[in-house]
């Protein structure tokens, strides 16, 4: 069967759009984030040629469904244990099916004949949608903005708007250029160029500023990526062979990492110890060997059925603990939230207040913001993504960290068991990293910063503004529609 020229054009544009969009987002193969400023233009051009909403919705759904399957693909047979409950299967099905529909419902509102709706309402709804995902999470809350995680110059807007402002700006730019191509009016191109220049100027302004850290002592952090095998951690229980093997490997890599240092903070990722009991003598010996009367230690562990992070003094005394509060829907149905231990961890006699978030929690701006408002002068996320295998998931997860840095003006680290792990400065610049699938460590000097951003102080006022804009536009549209109906009715009567 021979394809018509129209179908060939659609297939070509959708294919180009999928390729550009995939490369735009963090992935294990090749990433060019700058392409995200135009990655949706092909699908917008396709749907812009159709007046019928259902047709636009169908094409958008096809595009986003294929995009999700490509970007979030993981081998379903690699770690069969992750499907140990029906809920795990259900949440994955929901994620792979519902999110493409939601994205399609919003983007298909794009209509070249309605520029206000396309340029203002569609991006506003998108920004609100991203925010709602963090309030009522049903999976991995994907944000357009994470495509820019390695472009610090382009994400400084997040100091005011949070991550949502960057996403909205990305979508406005895509829509503006698409409108220019479809309706041949240069004002849309000029608008897109102006917004990009304005965003760059904001970025330059903040990037060139130097933090007031002249009289502030930087603290040394030794971030260890142990790359513990998933099944090794999964079947590790108190005093069995795997448990002892993990403890001995932690001691070895810590000794290597701290060999040239007199002091510092040794950090291990989430679930490094999957059966943590403070009374266990083998564990006590390991903690003493690692701290060695010189080093503080932060370690992720499974404690009393909860996901936790502990801080220890150089004398191996427990100083503070944090327990996971934002649970993965359905995956962690058997757990309960812990509201008692959710303050920053303290080290060096409370001089360091480490705002902590565990795995899934790094995706939610409010958690890092609340920790900062509680006094955190440094942010740290720990994770154990090994069960996801060698996929894009870990890369996408890591990409949220620079935004937590920029939103709160803090040095921050994301330490994942099998990588990637990164350290960012307060401007979101990646200053150190360990790649995916490697065992290793990084040593970084972290100054403590106490200045707060507009976003930290005021929260999601940008999203409130978007909601107000949507409501106002809806009221105006309803009034205009009512006037048109009255005019038509009067004409018919006459």
């Amino acid at each position: 069967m021979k394809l018509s020229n129209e179908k060939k054009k659609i297939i070509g544009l959708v294919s180009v759009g999928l390729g550009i969009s995939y490369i735009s987002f963090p992935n294990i193969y090749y990433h060019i984030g700058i392409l995200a400023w135009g990655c949706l233009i092909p699908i917008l051009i396709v749907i812009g040629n159709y007046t019928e909403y259902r047709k636009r919705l169908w094409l958008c759904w096809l595009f986003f469904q294929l995009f999700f399957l490509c970007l979030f693909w993981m081998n379903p047979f690699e770690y069969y244990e992750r499907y140990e409950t029906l809920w795990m299967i259900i949440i994955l099905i929901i994620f792979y099916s519902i999110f493409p529909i939601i994205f399609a419902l919003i983007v298909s509102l794009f209509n070249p004949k309605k520029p206000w709706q396309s340029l203002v309402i569609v991006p506003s709804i998108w920004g609100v949608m991203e925010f709602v995902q963090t309030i009522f999470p049903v999976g991995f809350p994907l944000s357009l903005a994470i495509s820019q995680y390695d472009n610090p110059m382009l994400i400084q807007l997040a100091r005011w708007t949070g991550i949502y402002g960057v996403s909205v700006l990305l979508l406005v730019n895509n829509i503006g250029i698409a409108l220019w191509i479809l309706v041949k009016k240069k004002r849309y191109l000029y608008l897109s160029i102006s917004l990009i220049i304005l965003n760059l100027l904001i970025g330059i302004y903040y990037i060139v500023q130097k933090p007031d850290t002249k009289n502030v002592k930087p603290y040394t952090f030794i971030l260890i990526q142990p790359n513990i095998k998933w099944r090794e951690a999964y079947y590790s229980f108190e005093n069995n062979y795997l448990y002892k093997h993990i403890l001995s490997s932690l001691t070895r890599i810590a000794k290597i990492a701290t060999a040239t240092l007199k002091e510092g903070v040794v950090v291990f990722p989430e679930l490094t110890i999957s059966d943590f009991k403070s009374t266990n003598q083998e564990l006590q010996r390991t903690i003493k060997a690692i701290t060695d009367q010189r080093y503080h230690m932060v370690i992720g562990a499974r404690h009393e059925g909860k996901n936790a992070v502990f801080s220890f003094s150089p004398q191996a005394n427990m100083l503070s603990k944090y327990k996971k509060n934002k649970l993965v829907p359905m995956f962690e149905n058997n757990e309960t939230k812990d509201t008692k231990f959710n303050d920053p961890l303290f080290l060096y006699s409370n001089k360091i207040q480490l705002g902590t978030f565990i795995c899934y929690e790094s995706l939610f701006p409010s958690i890092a913001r609340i920790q900062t408002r509680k006094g955190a002068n440094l942010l740290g996320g720990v994770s154990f993504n090994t069960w996801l295998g060698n996929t894009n998931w870990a890369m996408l997860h890591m990409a949220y960290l620079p935004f937590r840095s920029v939103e709160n003006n803090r040095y921050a680290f994301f330490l994942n068991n099998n990588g990637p792990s990164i350290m960012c400065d307060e401007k979101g610049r990646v200053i150190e990293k360990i790649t995916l699938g490697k065992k290793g460590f990084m040593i970084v000097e972290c100054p403590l910063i106490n200045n707060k951003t507009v976003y930290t102080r005021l929260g999601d006022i940008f999203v409130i503004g978007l909601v107000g804009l949507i409501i106002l536009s809806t009221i105006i549209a309803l009034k205009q529609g009512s006037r048109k109906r009255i005019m038509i009715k009067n004409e018919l009567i006459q």
Side-chain angles (χ1 to χ4, degrees):
M1 180 175 152
K2 192 174 180 180
L3 293 173
S4 65
N5 289 333
E6 181 187 352
K7 288 183 178 178
K8 286 180 181 178
K9 182 180 178 181
I10 291 173
I11 293 171
L13 285 170
V14 168
S15 299
V16 170
L18 283 172
I20 295 173
S21 297
Y22 185 90
I23 295 171
S24 299
F25 280 81
N27 64 81
I28 59 176
Y29 301 108
Y30 194 64
H31 169 61
I32 307 176
I34 201 75
L35 292 178
W37 295 89
C39 67
L40 295 177
I41 294 173
I43 187 61
L44 291 171
I45 291 173
V46 169
I47 66 173
N49 289 310
Y50 293 92
T51 56
E52 187 184 355
Y53 177 72
R54 264 193 258 179
K55 185 70 173 180
R56 298 201 305 269
L57 178 60
W58 154 251
L59 289 168
C60 278
W61 170 81
L62 178 64
F63 176 84
F64 284 112
Q65 187 66 71
L66 292 172
F67 174 69
F68 263 71
L69 289 173
C70 292
L71 188 66
F72 289 96
W73 171 255
M74 59 180 174
N75 186 348
F77 305 106
E78 189 170 3
Y79 293 117
Y80 61 85
E81 291 95 337
R82 61 188 168 202
Y83 309 113
E84 62 184 3
T85 68
L86 180 62
W87 288 117
M88 290 186 176
I89 299 173
I90 291 173
I91 189 65
L92 286 172
I93 292 173
I94 290 173
F95 176 78
Y96 280 110
S97 57
I98 297 297
F99 276 83
I101 293 173
I102 294 172
F103 285 18
L105 284 168
I106 297 172
V107 175
S108 57
L109 292 172
F110 169 78
N111 188 340
K113 294 180 180 179
K114 298 178 179 180
W116 175 263
Q117 174 179 301
S118 299
L119 271 171
V120 179
I121 304 305
V122 173
S124 297
I125 294 173
W126 185 283
V128 173
M129 178 270 295
E130 286 195 4
F131 171 76
V132 169
Q133 287 183 61
T134 68
I135 305 301
F136 305 104
V138 292
F140 191 103
L142 182 64
S143 170
L144 276 179
I146 62 170
S147 60
Q148 306 304 300
Y149 86 94
D150 56 353
N151 292 319
M153 191 78 73
L154 300 176
I155 66 173
Q156 298 306 309
L157 181 64
R159 294 172 176 271
W160 293 74
T161 66
I163 192 172
Y164 315 112
V166 180
S167 291
V168 168
L169 191 60
L170 277 161
L171 192 51
V172 169
N173 191 75
N174 275 271
I175 290 172
I177 296 174
L179 283 172
W180 167 60
I181 294 170
L182 288 166
V183 302
K184 312 299 182 187
K185 291 184 179 179
K186 290 185 179 179
R187 63 172 176 262
Y188 299 121
L189 176 63
Y190 296 152
L191 174 65
S192 295
I193 293 172
S194 299
L195 289 173
I196 290 174
I197 291 172
L198 178 61
N199 191 42
L200 274 171
L201 290 174
I202 292 172
I204 291 169
Y205 173 78
Y206 284 108
I207 290 291
V208 299
Q209 284 186 348
K210 294 183 179 179
D212 186 16
T213 56
K214 288 182 180 179
N215 300 317
V216 178
K217 174 190 173 183
Y219 289 87
T220 303
F221 275 74
I222 306 99
L223 307 174
I224 297 177
Q225 183 173 297
N227 200 20
I228 300 168
K229 294 178 181 179
W230 186 76
R231 289 193 174 94
E232 189 174 321
Y234 189 84
Y235 294 109
S236 169
F237 300 102
E238 186 181 21
N239 292 330
N240 71 4
Y241 168 76
L242 293 175
Y243 180 88
K244 293 178 179 179
H245 175 71
I246 289 172
L247 292 182
S248 62
S249 67
L250 295 179
T251 304
R252 284 196 302 272
I253 194 169
K255 291 297 182 184
I256 295 170
T258 59
T260 60
L261 301 172
K262 294 182 179 179
E263 63 174 0
V265 181
V266 179
V267 186
F268 292 100
E270 176 193 19
L271 298 177
T272 299
I273 308 296
S274 57
D275 190 10
F276 186 96
K277 293 178 182 176
S278 58
T279 56
N280 183 277
Q281 293 184 355
E282 192 79 25
L283 179 59
Q284 289 176 352
R285 283 193 291 269
T286 300
I287 294 172
K288 287 179 180 178
I290 293 171
T291 54
D292 195 26
Q293 299 291 318
R294 293 182 292 168
Y295 310 105
H296 285 75
M297 184 177 78
V298 174
I299 188 167
R302 186 81 175 166
H303 177 63
E304 296 178 347
K306 295 183 184 296
N307 210 338
V309 182
F310 300 94
S311 67
F312 289 88
S313 71
Q315 291 73 38
N317 298 318
M318 187 183 295
L319 298 174
S320 55
K321 58 184 171 182
Y322 173 88
K323 292 193 174 181
K324 190 175 183 179
N325 188 44
K326 181 73 74 172
L327 304 178
V328 182
M330 300 187 200
F331 271 44
E332 296 177 318
N333 271 357
N334 296 327
E335 298 189 23
T336 55
K337 293 182 180 180
D338 197 307
T339 56
K340 186 178 179 181
F341 300 103
N342 55 13
D343 291 328
L345 298 176
F346 58 86
L347 302 151
Y348 281 98
S349 302
N350 287 5
K351 292 177 182 176
I352 297 178
Q353 297 278 338
L354 178 61
T356 308
F357 35 91
I358 300 175
C359 193
Y360 189 59
E361 293 180 325
S362 67
L363 310 179
F364 299 87
S366 60
I367 293 176
R369 182 170 64 84
I370 290 170
Q371 292 273 7
T372 305
R373 293 186 66 172
K374 286 182 175 181
N377 45 27
L378 185 73
L379 297 173
V382 293
S383 187
F384 191 98
N385 285 333
T386 312
W387 72 280
L388 293 169
N390 188 32
T391 67
N392 296 334
W393 285 76
M395 301 294 294
L396 293 160
H397 193 177
M398 169 270 295
Y400 283 84
L401 195 275
F403 289 91
R404 303 295 89 94
S405 290
V406 174
E407 288 165 345
N408 300 287
N409 194 46
R410 295 291 184 270
Y411 271 67
F413 63 80
F414 177 79
L415 183 59
N416 187 13
N417 171 65
N418 68 316
S421 300
I422 59 173
M423 182 79 199
C424 292
D425 67 7
E426 82 286 2
K427 302 178 192 298
R429 293 176 294 199
V430 178
I431 54 178
E432 285 290 346
K433 63 180 179 180
I434 309 172
T435 56
L436 179 66
K438 304 291 184 183
K439 178 185 286 189
F441 60 89
M442 50 185 170
I443 300 173
V444 289
E445 297 291 319
C446 301
L448 305 180
I449 300 173
N450 292 304
N451 296 335
K452 294 181 176 67
T453 64
V454 171
Y455 181 74
T456 302
R457 293 196 302 268
L458 302 181
D460 297 305
I461 55 170
F462 176 72
V463 177
I464 295 171
L466 293 179
V467 172
L469 189 60
I470 294 167
I471 294 172
L472 181 62
S473 298
T474 303
I475 293 171
I476 292 171
L478 289 172
K479 285 185 176 181
Q480 288 177 343
S482 178
R483 286 173 187 169
K484 285 181 181 179
R485 285 192 295 272
I486 292 171
M487 289 174 64
I488 292 169
K489 186 178 179 180
N490 290 337
E491 287 175 3
L492 290 172
I493 292 171
Q494 292 174 1

